[in-house]
Structure formats: C-alpha cells, structure tokens
Amino acid sequence: MALFDGHSGPAMSDFLCDHLVEYVASAISKLPQQYELSGYLEMHNSDESNSSAIPADNVISDTIKHAFKEVDDAMINVSDVLSSTSKTNTIRTLRHAHSGSCALMSIYDNDTQIPRVALTGDSRAVLGRKVLSKDGKINGYQVHVLSQDQNAHNPKEVVHLEAEHPGEEVVKNGHVMGWGMARAFGDAAYKWSVDIQEKLYEKYLSNRVRSNMKTPPYPTAGPEITSIQIQKGNFLIMASDGLWDCLTSKEAIGLVGLWLANNSHM
C-alpha cells in the first residue's frame, strides 16, 4: 500500500503509482532465494519442519532503500538524452525528471505480522491502537507515529543537509532549497551536477542553473524505514502533508476511533 504526493506536475507521482510498489515487491520476493543460497538465514520458527527462511530485518529494510534509490536514479538519468537526437525521448525523460513526488509505503509481512513503513518526503503514517479498560471496553486509542516528516522542521534532516553542504544556506525560512520537503523522488534540477544542467540548457533550452546550486545533489529519494508489531484492532492512517497541516496525529486517530465506535455494527 502506498501514497504518492506529487509536485511540479503529475509525471513522477503517476509513474511511481504505476511501478514503485511492484518494483519493491519484486526485490523483496527474491530475498528468500538469495539468502537460502548464501546460507544467511533467520529461522522464523524453531520447529524445523515448519520453519521459514526469512532474511534479517535490516536486510529487508536495505532492500527497500536500494529499490527506492534505483528507481529514482533511473528516472533522472539523462545520459541517453545527452547522446540522443530523439525529441520524443528527451521530452518524456525531462518531464519525469523535472517533476517530483513524495512516497509513503507500507509493507506488511505475513510471517512476522510486522508492517514496515518507508517514507521519502513529508507525508506521514500513524497507527492507532486500542486502549482497553479493566472491563474490556475501549477507552481511547494510543497514537504511534511511524514516520517523521522530512522537511525543514525536522532537526535530523537539517543537520544532515548542513553537514552535506557546509557554508551553504540550504535551509531558509522553513524550506529546503525553496521547497517544503527535504527528500523526494525526481526534482532532478536539485540533483543533477551543474555541468549536466548547463549541457541540457545549451542543447534543449532546459531550465537555467539556479544561482544557489553549488554542490548538488540536495534532496535524496532514500527512505527512512520503521516497523511495529501490530495487535488486533489496530488501524493505520497514511496521508500527505495536506492532512497534517490541518490535523495533529492525535486528532486524526481520535476521529477514526470515533467513526469506528459509531459504526461498530458494520
């Protein structure tokens, strides 16, 4: 399950909607074979007759991160454009590369009953968990925020960007290079080298190199990944920053909890 919040046109978010989940699922599906061959297994069940070979948790997370990066690298690669005379190929490639998108993906593991949440951008995933009173009745919901918005208000993102680009004013007035999010797919004008951007401008009258573009890349499509053990009756809210600009995580969980209480017969 995934959510894609596009900007600078729909090209990148449309592409991710059609392909990213399938690409990540394919990468993960190959892991049991790979680790069975290498002998690097984590046994899920101590009973050998019913055991399943499951890659270690960090291996799965690394695979998801690698898949995100591979897709983004492919979508902003302009080596063919610079060596090609095809205007159709150029238009298609640059249209996707110049647009951008956040990506929020939830991947549920049936074997461990653990969902993993991967975030690139400023969307958010929040889990609601029932709190029961002594007599077994629902007495509200715990709020578990499973992702941290990757924007200029996230100290971790600010520290990382300032360390990567010392002496530059990457973060200013609550924005990262003029944008709200610190990570995203696409947005190639903030990732291509200055040399590539100058060549694209000369050959295709693409966008001029921005005056503050000194040491790209600035944003990354690499996600942060978290996981949690779920319990019966949990629910997950995945939404773009549009919702979180209006509601807190606690308010959103409370509203869903209220709806569930009023529709328990359904």
Side-chain angles (χ1 to χ4, degrees):
M1 180 168 59
L3 170 75
F4 305 107
D5 182 18
H7 50 268
S8 298
M12 182 59 72
S13 56
D14 284 349
F15 179 87
L16 296 176
C17 185
D18 291 337
H19 300 289
L20 186 61
V21 171
E22 181 181 356
Y23 191 82
V24 172
S26 176
I28 293 174
S29 70
K30 297 172 184 176
L31 287 177
Q33 294 173 312
Q34 294 172 356
Y35 284 87
E36 189 171 343
L37 291 171
S38 68
Y40 182 46
L41 301 177
E42 178 182 61
M43 304 312 292
H44 175 57
N45 193 314
S46 59
D47 180 1
E48 292 187 6
S49 63
N50 295 315
S51 63
S52 302
I54 303 175
D57 184 71
N58 62 319
V59 175
I60 298 175
S61 294
D62 287 346
T63 299
I64 298 169
K65 291 178 181 179
H66 186 65
F68 272 49
K69 185 178 185 303
E70 281 190 326
V71 170
D72 189 56
D73 287 347
M75 293 304 294
I76 66 172
N77 188 329
V78 290
S79 55
D80 288 345
V81 168
L82 292 172
S83 61
S84 172
T85 57
S86 170
K87 292 183 178 180
T88 301
N89 181 50
T90 298
I91 292 170
R92 181 178 62 250
T93 300
L94 295 183
R95 178 165 55 90
H96 283 89
H98 277 295
S99 67
S101 181
C102 300
L104 177 62
M105 184 179 295
S106 177
I107 303 157
Y108 182 68
D109 188 331
N110 283 321
D111 292 310
T112 61
Q113 296 186 333
I114 293 177
R116 290 177 178 81
V117 170
L119 171 65
T120 294
D122 57 2
S123 298
R124 189 186 308 168
V126 184
L127 182 134
R129 176 169 291 166
K130 288 186 294 187
V131 177
L132 300 178
S133 60
K134 292 182 179 180
D135 58 2
K137 294 182 179 180
I138 298 177
N139 189 28
Y141 288 86
Q142 292 178 340
V143 179
H144 295 268
V145 181
L146 302 185
S147 62
Q148 297 298 318
D149 308 354
Q150 295 158 359
N151 54 31
H153 304 291
N154 183 329
K156 181 180 176 181
E157 296 295 317
V158 173
V159 169
H160 171 75
L161 287 166
E162 290 179 344
E164 288 287 312
H165 309 280
E168 296 183 53
E169 198 173 42
V170 179
V171 179
K172 182 180 179 181
N173 298 328
H175 292 81
V176 177
M177 299 297 287
W179 288 96
M181 73 292 299
R183 304 191 197 189
F185 281 84
D187 291 335
Y190 297 90
K191 296 176 181 177
W192 286 325
S193 68
V194 172
D195 179 60
I196 285 178
Q197 294 191 56
E198 288 177 343
K199 288 179 180 178
L200 288 171
Y201 176 73
E202 291 171 5
K203 190 172 183 179
Y204 299 108
L205 285 179
S206 184
N207 294 338
R208 288 183 179 274
V209 181
R210 291 165 173 77
S211 60
N212 61 345
M213 200 64 49
K214 297 178 181 178
T215 58
Y218 293 94
T220 173
E224 290 293 324
I225 300 176
T226 59
S227 61
I228 190 171
Q229 187 76 50
I230 64 169
Q231 300 174 5
K232 185 177 180 181
N234 289 174
F235 61 84
L236 181 66
I237 300 174
M238 296 170 60
S240 68
D241 62 321
L243 177 68
W244 309 118
D245 286 343
C246 301
L247 297 175
T248 66
S249 299
K250 185 176 181 180
E251 288 170 339
I253 291 295
L255 287 171
V256 174
L258 182 62
W259 186 90
L260 290 171
N262 291 333
N263 294 274
S264 58
H265 59 283
M266 296 179 64

